[in-house]
Amino acid sequence: MPKLKTKRAAAKRFKLTGTGKIKRKSSHHRHKLTGKPSKRKRNLRTWSLVSPSDEKRVRQMLNLG
């Protein structure tokens, strides 16, 4: 059986933490930033964890089992 290929789009968007959880970038931080408060934009810079309901699908895209 051949090796499984990783979905490259998913590999660019998600990263693993040291404990094996999956983190992702926050959305709404690309354009229309003038109408958003500085506090909101600052909080959108940080990474957040993938929700448990989506984690199974992301793991399949990354071939993590």
Side-chain angles (χ1 to χ4, degrees):
M1 186 169 169
K3 290 183 185 178
L4 295 173
K5 286 190 174 182
T6 302
K7 299 287 185 281
R8 296 311 298 163
K12 294 169 188 174
R13 286 168 172 80
F14 301 105
K15 292 185 180 181
L16 282 178
T17 63
T19 57
K21 295 177 184 174
I22 301 171
K23 61 181 182 176
R24 63 171 175 82
K25 286 285 276 189
S26 299
S27 56
H28 307 293
H29 199 254
R30 287 288 182 201
H31 55 89
K32 285 185 159 180
L33 297 174
T34 53
K36 296 172 186 164
S38 300
K39 182 179 179 181
R40 182 175 169 195
K41 290 188 281 190
R42 186 168 58 246
N43 289 334
L44 286 173
R45 277 187 230 142
T46 62
W47 291 70
S48 55
L49 293 177
V50 172
S51 65
S53 57
D54 293 329
E55 196 167 342
K56 183 180 177 184
R57 270 179 291 190
V58 176
R59 284 188 178 278
Q60 285 178 341
M61 288 189 282
L62 297 175
N63 292 323
L64 296 175

